[in-house]
């Protein structure tokens, strides 16, 4: 057997991240409980190093592992988004796991494993690589969701996520099998080469495979009607983990959707457009409409994340490279503002378990103006009001859609944004306009969380005001080596 | 080169941020050092930029520096970029220079105010915005500055917001300006629609090359832009806000409502000189409005008793002068007067502020008198300012005013009528300014004992500002001594490149007049001014009863003038009240009953739908999986049907 050529420099970020997770596991085993905080510092340091490694590969356009693994601008940008998100989550978690006595070494290791999975998904040029990445990401998340072992809600969250996740995985594996059966390859670039067709009705089976893949990915993305797990899982999972789940995996699913449906199914994207159109519209309405009646802020953010998945799907109903570029930018803005909102939530939540009612924000703006102002910024950004990142993200996405003539879809999306203003601003109203008679619950000021908060605030503003200065809007979709 | 231009507006804005965020916790000296320091930084940078500009050949004195691309949206490209040319150089020096002196003055003036840091925060925001306005290289960025200074004006007029009259005046200024800004905004839309760009150089180049003189599009654009200018620069019919704006602290009146913001309209017209030259009709309108405002406001200034209101009407009148200059296509003269006016009017306002400070917030001139010996420095500096505004030969106001009068007479767009109005206005100006001086500083004290005990000269930093401005008012005009008087008229030659293309468009050139005519006209106007000063002397010093008897004799006219021709009342009856009635109808019927009804109905529908869909979230995995499966079947069916 002959081993394919492996470009170790190109996959250096993945090597670092994988090594980092193993190192943390190993390290934690030998650390006494009161010293395990060190693992957090190893984690963020390692993530920064890996980010530099990605930066080093900037502009590389190559395929390795016999063409199964693509290192290109698209994957590098996504990896940086994942790394940024994970970095912020690590910063957020430092205080959280101390308060909730979750100081097990695996915590950071699992986050980093999950990150590793996402990075693989971003680079996957082959369905098998994608599947392996997906599973690495998901299994780590299942465990993380149940990390508060003594809390039944956390257990419930983990179990629900795992069972439905396994269900979805089944669809994906079956989809890959159909594709392989139809064309004899799992390479994304070669799937649609008619010369590869092995059967008379290969096209039909290929389409079945595509449908199954879409179902599985739609589950990860939390698109209607595969979104039912989201509120329950988000609510039960430890808040820092919820933050992580709501940003990274979505982005990874988008990356694969882009590679599979815009690149491989590229010739048929116009035919597929109605499918994505319906998914997008239904998802937006489901997320936004149900979010209105939520009283728990974690559930509200869960529905908000469903709504955002709906906006992201606009890119696939549009199906142009411009739309995919804008959705990647959207992911970046979403990561920053969504994690920001979760950070404020973490501070407000403090040590209290499970009290995430919107009313717990009453008077925050008056007692802690910085937190109140930051939360307001994140919420108006999530609602898509200028000059915030959320506006820029929506703007470029909608612009791409309009350019392709998807005007009704954009009108629907704008109406949905309007609906979303209601529930986002309700939190602002509670924070600023209702005064509590009682003193606001004392909040601690953990340094790392605040660093992350400042990063998120700056990111939300800077991406909103100077979007084009920080993001390349001309990313090719798959390494030219196809 | 000139990469640091952006620092000029950025420094005060940084000061605004620092003081705005942390000013409340800083002690006063820190706040004032940050505020003054940042403006001083701008001043130094502006001077450096000017030196750099002077080092270039005149035809290359136009430097655009791109900071970043702001809105790149298809054909709509707007940059954050700055234009440094002689015109913006003069403006930025006036803004940062006078601005700096007024900042220094304010340290003393506002020393006892509890909201010291808020004041300086606004003042810095204003200075930064004004610098953006004058340095912008495109209409949109100019508009950003334009609106931001309007906001600062509103905030600062209503600075003492607990006083009903102050907050009303702030609102009045803001609302009246909205009318002007509406026209201005439409003008900008039309510019983009016509030229496909908002960049000054692109718009002016394509206007000069592809439009004929008298083009109706250009006329419409320039008239709309001028509507904006009448709002911001307080011209007929939108001047009514400026006298009320005197409710703000006096340094604000000096900086915003005399020296800088109100001149933004003049700057804008001068900046668009190419467009205006292409539209002779608009030029005529500008000149007419300017001349009418100059005369009209001067008469109103005659009868005011509030020291700041006299100066406010005087400002309106002088702004009219500047527009008159622009209207006869003498843009250089307009900008020259803008500059000298900034010096002497800021001086007069600050002097008035010093008087008010000394008199424990007394503003009525009827309760002053004989202050000459009590506050000597203030008196001397105000004397310089008064002589300058009256146009006494040798002082700055003389050169700029004379230039305007001469251009009003000699320009192809001008005429004897404009000149005559100018001369009459100059005479009236001299009269009311000397009336102010005599009532305040001469004669017998008319204030009570209590006030005289508190009477004191202002602190040193205020006097520093006064003295600096007095020097500028005296000699500031020397850079523009016309050739006929043996001067080099450096100012005109410096400004020439800015107006070169519009000068080329007006191909006929100036009507040629001899120097003799010029001397003759000059002598007439100076003599008239001296005569009016003499009248003022007679009426207010030698025979004070004369003023009283005249007032009684012409009681009817006096009442009309004293009440500012009832313009506010007419506006209230003709515009404001009907508007309120219509608004009430729109509010009660259209808004509350119809629109709110629809909106609330929709919201209710959404909410009830939300409540019912929420039920689907049972919490049972089997239900979720069933939903999943249903979705999966639909998706698969769709894919299977693909051909």
């Amino acid at each position: 057997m002959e081993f394919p050529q492996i470009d170790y420099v190109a996959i250096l970020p993945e090597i670092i991240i994988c090594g980092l997770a193993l190192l943390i596991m190993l390290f934690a085993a030998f650390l006494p409980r009161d010293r395990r905080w060190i693992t957090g510092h190893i984690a963020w340091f390692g993530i920064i190093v890996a980010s530099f490694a990605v930066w080093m590969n900037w502009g590389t356009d190559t395929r390795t592992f016999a063409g199964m693994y693509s290192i290109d601008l698209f994957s590098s940008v996504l990896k940086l988004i994942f790394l940024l998100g994970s970095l912020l989550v690590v910063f957020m978690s430092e205080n959280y796991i101390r308060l909730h006595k979750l100081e097990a070494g695996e915590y950071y290791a699992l986050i980093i494993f999950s990150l590793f999975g996402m990075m693989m998904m971003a680079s996957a040029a082959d369905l098998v690589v994608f599947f392996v990445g997906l599973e690495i990401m998901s299994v780590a998340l299942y465990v993380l969701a149940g990390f508060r072992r003594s809390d039944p809600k956390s257990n419930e969250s983990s179990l629900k996520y795992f069972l439905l996740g396994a269900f979805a995985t089944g669809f994906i594996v079956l989809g890959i099998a159909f594709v392989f059966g139809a064309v004899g390859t799992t390479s994304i670039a070669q799937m649609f080469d008619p010369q590869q067709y092995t059967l008379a009705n290969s096209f039909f089976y290929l389409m079945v495979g595509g449908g199954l893949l879409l179902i599985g990915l739609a589950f990860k993305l939390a698109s209607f009607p595969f979104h039912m797990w989201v509120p329950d899982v988000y609510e039960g999972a430890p808040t820092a983990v919820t933050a992580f789940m709501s940003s990274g995996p979505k982005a990874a699913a988008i990356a694969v959707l882009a590679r599979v449906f815009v690149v491989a199914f590229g010739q048929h994207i116009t035919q597929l457009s109605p499918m994505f159109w319906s998914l997008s519209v239904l998802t937006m309405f489901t997320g936004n409409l149900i979010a209105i009646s939520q009283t728990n802020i974690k559930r509200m953010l869960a529905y908000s994340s469903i709504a955002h998945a709906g906006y992201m799907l606009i890119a696939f109903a549009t199906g142009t490279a411009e739309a995919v570029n804008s959705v990647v930018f959207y992911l970046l803005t979403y990561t920053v503002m969504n994690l920001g909102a979760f950070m404020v939530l973490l501070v407000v939540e403090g040590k209290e378990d499970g009290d995430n009612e919107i009313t717990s924000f009453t008077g925050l703006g008056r007692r802690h103006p910085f937190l109140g102002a930051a939360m307001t910024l994140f919420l108006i950004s999530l609602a898509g009001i200028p000059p915030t990142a959320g506006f820029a993200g929506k703007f470029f996405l909608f612009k791409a859609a309009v350019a392709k003539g998807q005007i009704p879809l954009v009108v629907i999306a704008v109406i949905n944004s309007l609906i979303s203003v209601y529930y986002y601003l309700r939190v602002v109203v509670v924070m600023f306009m209702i005064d509590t008679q009682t003193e606001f619950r004392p909040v601690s000021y953990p340094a790392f969380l605040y660093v992350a908060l400042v990063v998120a605030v700056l990111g939300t503003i800077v991406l909103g005001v100077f979007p084009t200065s920080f993001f390349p809007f001309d990313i090719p979709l798959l390494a030219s080596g196809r | 080169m000139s990469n640091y231009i952006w620092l000029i507006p950025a420094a005060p804005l940084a000061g605004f941020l620092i003081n705005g965020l942390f000013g409340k916790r800083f002690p006063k000296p820190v706040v004032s050092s940050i505020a003054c320091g940042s403006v001083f930084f701008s001043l130094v940078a502006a001077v450096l930029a000017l030196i750099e500009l002077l080092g270039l050949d005149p035809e290359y004195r136009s430097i655009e520096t791109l900071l970043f691309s702001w809105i790149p949206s298809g054909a709509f490209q707007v940059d954050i970029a700055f234009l440094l040319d002689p015109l913006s150089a003069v403006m930025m020096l006036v803004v940062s220079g006078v601005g700096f002196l007024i900042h220094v003055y304010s340290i003393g003036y506002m020393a006892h105010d509890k909201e010291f840091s808020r004041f300086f925060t606004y003042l810095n925001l204003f200075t930064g915005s004004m610098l953006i306005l004058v340095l912008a290289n495109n209409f949109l960025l100019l508009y950003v500055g334009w609106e931001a200074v309007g906001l600062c004006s509103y905030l600062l007029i209503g600075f003492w917001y607990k006083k009903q009259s102050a907050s009303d005046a702030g609102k009045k200024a803001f609302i009246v300006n909205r009318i002007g800004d509406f026209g201005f905004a439409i003008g900008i839309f039309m510019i983009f629609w016509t030229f496909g760009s908002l960049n000054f150089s692109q718009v002016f180049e394509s206007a000069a090359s592809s439009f004929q003189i008298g083009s109706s599009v250009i006329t419409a654009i320039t008239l709309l832009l001028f509507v904006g200018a009448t709002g911001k620069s307080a011209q007929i019919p939108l001047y009514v806000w400026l006298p009320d704006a005197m409710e703000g602290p006096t340094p604000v009146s000096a900086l915003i409502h005399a020296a800088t913001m109100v001149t933004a309209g003049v700057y804008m017209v001068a900046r668009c000189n190419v467009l205006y030259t292409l539209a002779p009709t608009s030029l005529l309108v500008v000149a007419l409005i300017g001349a009418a405002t100059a005369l009209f406001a001067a008469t109103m200034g005659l009868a005011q008793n509030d020291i700041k209101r006299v100066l406010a009407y005087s400002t309106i009148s002088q702004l009219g002068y500047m527009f008159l200059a622009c209207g006869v296509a003498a843009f250089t003269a307009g900008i020259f007067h803008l500059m000298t006016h900034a010096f002497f009017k800021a001086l007069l306002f600050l002097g008035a502020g010093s008087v008010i400070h000394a008199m424990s917030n007394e503003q009525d001139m009827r309760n002053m008198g004989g202050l000459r010996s009590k506050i000597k420095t203030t008196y001397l500096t105000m004397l310089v300012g008064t002589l300058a505004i009256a146009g006494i030969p040798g002082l700055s106001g003389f050169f700029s005013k004379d230039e305007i009068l001469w251009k009003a007479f000699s320009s192809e767009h001008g005429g004897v009528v404009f000149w005559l109005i100018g001369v009459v206005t100059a005479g009236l100006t001299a009269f009311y300014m000397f009336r102010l001086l005599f009532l305040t500083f001469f004669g017998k004290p008319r204030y009570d004992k209590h006030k005289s005990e508190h009477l004191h000269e202002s602190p040193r930093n205020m006097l520093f500002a006064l003295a600096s401005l007095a020097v500028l008012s005296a000699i500031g005009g020397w850079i523009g001594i016309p050739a006929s008087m043996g001067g080099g008229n450096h100012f005109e030659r410096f400004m020439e490149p800015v107006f070169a293309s519009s000068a080329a468009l007006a191909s006929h050139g100036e009507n040629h007049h001899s120097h003799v005519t010029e001397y003759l006209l000059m002598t007439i106007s100076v003599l008239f001014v001296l005569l009016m000063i003499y009248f003022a002397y007679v009426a207010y010093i030698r025979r004070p009863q004369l003023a009283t008897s005249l007032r009684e004799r012409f009681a009817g006219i006096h009442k009309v003038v004293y009440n500012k021709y009832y313009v506010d009342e007419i506006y209230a009856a003709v515009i404001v009240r009907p508007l309120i009635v219509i608004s009430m109808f729109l509010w009660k019927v259209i808004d509350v009953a119809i629109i709110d009804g629809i909106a609330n109905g929709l919201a209710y529908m959404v909410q009830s739908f939300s409540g019912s869909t929420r039920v689907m979230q049972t919490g049972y995995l089997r239900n979720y999986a069933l939903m999943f499966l249903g979705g999966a079947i639909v998706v698969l069916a769709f894919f299977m049907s693909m051909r």
Side-chain angles (χ1 to χ4, degrees), chain B residues 351 354-355 371-386 437-438 440-442 457 463 466:
Chain B
S354 181
V355 170
L371 292 173
R372 189 172 27 155
S373 53
K374 303 285 195 317
I375 43 175
K376 199 147 191 177
T377 318
T378 306
Y379 162 65
L380 285 174
T381 50
M382 272 195 93
L383 180 64
V384 174
T386 308
L437 199 74
F438 292 148
T440 312
F441 293 104
F442 290 80
E457 183 60 289
L463 297 181
L466 285 175

Side-chain angles (χ1 to χ4, degrees), chain A residues 117-165:
Chain A
M118 293 174 205
M119 288 168 73
M120 271 183 87
M121 285 167 77
S123 271
D126 190 286
L127 294 176
V128 173
V129 175
F130 144 62
F131 183 71
V132 174
L134 177 76
E135 283 310 285
I136 294 176
M137 174 187 89
S138 305
V139 172
L141 284 176
Y142 303 147
V143 182
L144 280 169
F147 211 78
R148 287 170 63 179
R149 273 168 299 177
S150 52
D151 179 3
K153 269 192 146 178
S154 183
N155 290 328
E156 179 195 332
S157 158
S158 178
L159 190 65
K160 276 185 176 167
Y161 194 17
F162 170 66
L163 287 175
L164 285 174

Side-chain angles (χ1 to χ4, degrees), chain A residues 160 163-164 167 171 203 207 211 214-215 219 224-226 228 231-232 271-272 275 289-290 292-293 299 303 422 466, chain B residues 68 72-73 606-607 609-611 613-614 616-617 619 621 624-625 627-629 631-632 635-636 638-640 642-643:
Chain A
K160 276 185 176 167
L163 287 175
L164 285 174
F167 192 46
F171 282 84
F203 183 78
M207 283 299 155
L214 177 60
I215 293 162
F219 172 83
F224 178 91
F226 314 107
M228 305 291 280
D232 294 10
Q271 278 168 279
L272 287 175
M275 180 83 251
L289 288 179
I290 307 187
I292 287 176
S293 53
R299 284 186 86 88
Y303 282 107
Y422 173 78
F466 311 101
Chain B
F68 59 86
S73 169
V606 167
Q607 207 151 21
F609 180 76
S610 170
T613 42
R614 195 183 171 195
M616 284 177 17
Q617 199 75 30
L621 260 188
Y624 296 178
M627 182 103 172
F628 188 122
L629 204 61
V635 171
L636 269 182
F638 180 86
F639 271 85
M640 285 170 168
M642 293 241 314
R643 288 289 167 267

Side-chain angles (χ1 to χ4, degrees), chain A residues 159-273:
Chain A
L159 190 65
K160 276 185 176 167
Y161 194 17
F162 170 66
L163 287 175
L164 285 174
F167 192 46
T169 302
F171 282 84
I172 290 176
V173 180
L174 196 59
I176 295 174
F178 265 98
V179 170
F180 186 73
V183 291
T185 177
T186 49
S187 159
I188 288 173
Q190 288 159 7
M191 261 164 72
F192 261 90
D193 188 354
Q195 291 172 350
Q196 304 269 345
Y197 288 3
T198 50
L199 305 168
N201 44 2
S202 272
F203 183 78
F204 177 76
Y205 291 115
L206 197 57
M207 283 299 155
V208 173
L212 292 166
L213 280 174
L214 177 60
I215 293 162
L217 285 167
F219 172 83
K220 290 292 167 197
L221 185 63
S223 154
F224 178 91
F226 314 107
H227 68 282
M228 305 291 280
W229 58 280
V230 175
D232 294 10
V233 172
Y234 278 23
E235 190 191 355
T239 309
V241 174
T242 310
F244 186 60
M245 279 195 295
S246 66
S247 50
K250 237 187 233 312
I254 290 286
V256 177
L257 273 176
R259 288 255 159 111
V260 172
F261 288 97
V262 183
V263 178
F265 280 67
Q267 300 122 296
H268 304 277
I269 190 75
T270 345
Q271 278 168 279
L272 287 175
S273 183

